[in-house]
Amino acid sequence: MTKMDQPKTIHELTTDLASKKISVTEVVADYLTKIDQRNGELNAFLTVAAAEAKEKAKEADAVIAHDPDIFTKKPFFGIPVGHKDIFLTRGLKTTAGSKVLANYIPQYSSTVVKKLEAAGAITLGKLNCDAWAHGASGENSDFGPTKNPHNLDYVPGGSSSGSAAAVAADLLPFATGTDTGGSIRQPANFCGVVGLKPSYGRVSRYGIVAMASSLDSIGHLTHDVYDAAAVLEITAGKDPYDASTTDLPVPTYTKLLDQPLPKKFKIGIAREYLEGLTDKDVLSSLEAAKAILARMGVEVIEISLPHTKYGIAVYYIVQPSEVSSNLARYDGIRYGNARASFGDEAKRRIMIGTYTLSAGYYDAYYLKAMQVRTLIRQDFDQAFGEVDALLSPTSPTPAFKLGQNTADPLAMYLADVYTVTANLAGLPGIALPTGKTKENLPLGIQFLTAQYTEEKLLNLAYHFEKTLHGK
Amino acid sequence: MTKSKITREEISKVAKLANLSLTDSEIEKFTPQLAEIFAYIDQLGQVATDKVVPTAAVNNLNNVTREDTIADNRVLDQEEALGQSAKVEKNMFVVKAVIDND
């Protein structure tokens, strides 16, 4: 059994498996042991499919024995994965973090799950999340919050709380997640891992419990940028089962990573983001990022995103409106328990959305919000005319203590200021770790690029990561 | 923009529209929370949006269609389709009566 002081990345595991340094059975057993040791205190996994995973591992080793070429055909062969519990997995309980689906066993799998399985990945289990992906701390899970592996008194962020915590604690080499208003990027930063939010429409939403259909982005959390690119190569692409997926071909992201950045690559920081940002740790993380960019020879300039201050208001009209529609299907008739089983946050968002879409209020709220959404999108179009990428924090603070923000829903919403506008505009974003606070809590930043330019985003992130590690 | 103050009556009405049966104490709890949230989102009224085209989706796609044929690999058989329901009778989902025959 390998002694892991540094977490193994997907590409390292594949090298070890292909060279027969380690077997799939050993890899899976290793992760299951770690899950067994730590999940009690972390509550990252809601369901662990240990028996099934061990069986698949055995089968995988048999395949490797007679077909050493399997890793070329299936790039993720033998690699363990965990799925946020809103990804439907056929035959494996899927709860969406909610009592409404406490016993739901899906009759089909989501496209992303199927694509990863077809590439050879082995599902180890389902990961805890804020119920219905409503939240930014993990505290809205109906099955108890996930804890931050760096300090158990702190939240891991949300809503992909279990996904971020599991990767950070090395219980998995990677995990799937979703990002509707920041739910991959913020927990990635709170837990010190890489979190990729692809453009809207880049990855299929089919078979994933819908939160807000014009905002949901399907992504993942990994240990490094290379792995993030590798996963996207598998999951991205037009899906006939999701009419909102783009026709654009999927680049071989991993091959484009180490291309040199174009000369005169420019990064913008929005002045509106800096106004009111007082947290010394977050500010130092931005300074650290700027220093790295300077070493890379990248110019950083100040730009303006004038409608920034309306982002939360637009998001908290558009998103609950779409949530109220998407959660209407949970009527306890064809699946799931009665609507009385919804938690408080779900009920709040359903009611906000029902109100904003109702006769007499639709124009003042949803229509108005859609118009301001256009203005926000135009802000970004303008910005990307001046710069290649944007740099910002993902959150006004590092991870906070459990229970700190639960009394005031609005206060929790306001912390989404740096992440929601990327969803409103459909942009891709990546959260990268930069260091830690004195209290050992992770710090990080995010980069955003124009819609459907993930190759540019990943190229930048790859060089940033390399420079940060002094390579 | 109409500045609507969220009242207990409006919460009750909205809950009914959303098919959520709230207890009295829930209505007590949610009313001030929602009032605070709406006071915040009401600020959108300040933004000038004359002639701004609304954005409903961010993918520049229109009318994505497929052939009108059954996708066999996506069809659930009857047992699978009924398999997650708490109440099934004669191979049908059981719902509350909507027609009163009296």
Side-chain angles (χ1 to χ4, degrees), chain A residues 10-27 61 64 71 76-80:
Chain A
I10 298 168
H11 58 273
E12 284 166 339
L13 284 168
T14 301
T15 305
D16 287 352
L17 286 169
S19 64
K20 303 224 166 91
K21 194 164 154 202
I22 195 167
S23 69
V24 179
T25 300
E26 286 172 298
V27 169
D61 280 329
I64 293 172
F71 297 97
F76 278 46
F77 200 72
I79 302 296

Side-chain angles (χ1 to χ4, degrees), chain A residues 90 333 344 348 364-365 374, chain B residues 29 33 42 53 55 80 85:
Chain A
R90 186 166 196 257
I333 294 172
D344 280 4
R348 270 191 289 268
Y365 288 107
T374 300
Chain B
K29 173 174 57 177
Q33 290 176 341
D42 278 348
V53 176
T55 295
E80 283 178 311
S85 175

Side-chain angles (χ1 to χ4, degrees), chain A residues 88-91 104-110 114 206-208, chain B residues 76 80:
Chain A
L88 266 60
T89 43
R90 186 166 196 257
Y104 175 61
I105 315 272
Q107 300 99 322
Y108 66 104
S109 287
S110 55
K114 286 171 76 177
Y206 179 77
I208 298 169
Chain B
L76 298 179
E80 283 178 311

Side-chain angles (χ1 to χ4, degrees), chain A residues 90 103-105 107 200 206 214 241 243-245 310 312-314 317 333-335 339 344 347-348 350-352 354-356 361 364-365 367-375 377 408 410 413-414 424 426 451-452, chain B residues 1 4 6 10-11 14-15 17-20 22 26 29-30 33-34 36-38 40-49 52-61 64 73-74 76 80-81 84-85 93-95:
Chain A
R90 186 166 196 257
N103 301 302
Y104 175 61
I105 315 272
Q107 300 99 322
Y200 179 83
Y206 179 77
S214 80
Y241 301 166
S244 67
T245 49
Y310 300 114
I312 301 271
V314 172
I317 291 172
I333 294 172
R334 294 158 298 166
Y335 41 72
R339 289 172 78 75
D344 280 4
K347 285 182 177 167
R348 270 191 289 268
I350 290 169
M351 286 194 285
I352 293 168
T354 304
Y355 189 89
T356 53
Y361 293 117
Y365 288 107
L367 180 59
K368 186 78 176 177
M370 283 202 286
Q371 287 177 303
V372 184
R373 187 174 183 177
T374 300
L375 298 176
R377 213 172 171 205
D408 188 354
L410 181 61
Y413 296 169
L414 294 176
L424 292 169
Q451 194 170 19
Y452 303 131
Chain B
M1 178 188 277
S4 44
I6 306 295
E10 283 180 304
I11 302 284
V14 161
L17 283 177
N19 198 11
L20 292 172
L22 298 183
E26 279 180 307
K29 173 174 57 177
F30 289 136
Q33 290 176 341
L34 294 182
E36 194 194 21
I37 291 165
F38 273 91
Y40 181 81
I41 63 183
D42 278 348
Q43 68 175 296
L44 274 199
Q46 298 162 17
V47 187
T49 50
V52 177
V53 176
T55 295
V58 287
N59 59 6
N60 306 322
L61 293 171
V64 178
N73 56 346
R74 273 219 282 172
L76 298 179
E80 283 178 311
Q84 289 305 305
S85 175
F93 294 114
V94 177
V95 302

Side-chain angles (χ1 to χ4, degrees), chain A residues 116-156:
Chain A
L116 288 167
E117 281 175 355
I122 295 177
T123 299
L124 293 195
K126 306 306 293 298
L127 297 162
N128 202 357
C129 57
D130 287 295
W132 311 103
H134 300 166
S137 70
E139 294 169 294
N140 289 332
S141 167
D142 284 353
F143 304 108
T146 299
K147 314 292 176 65
N148 192 314
H150 298 273
N151 186 325
L152 300 179
D153 292 334
Y154 288 76
V155 302

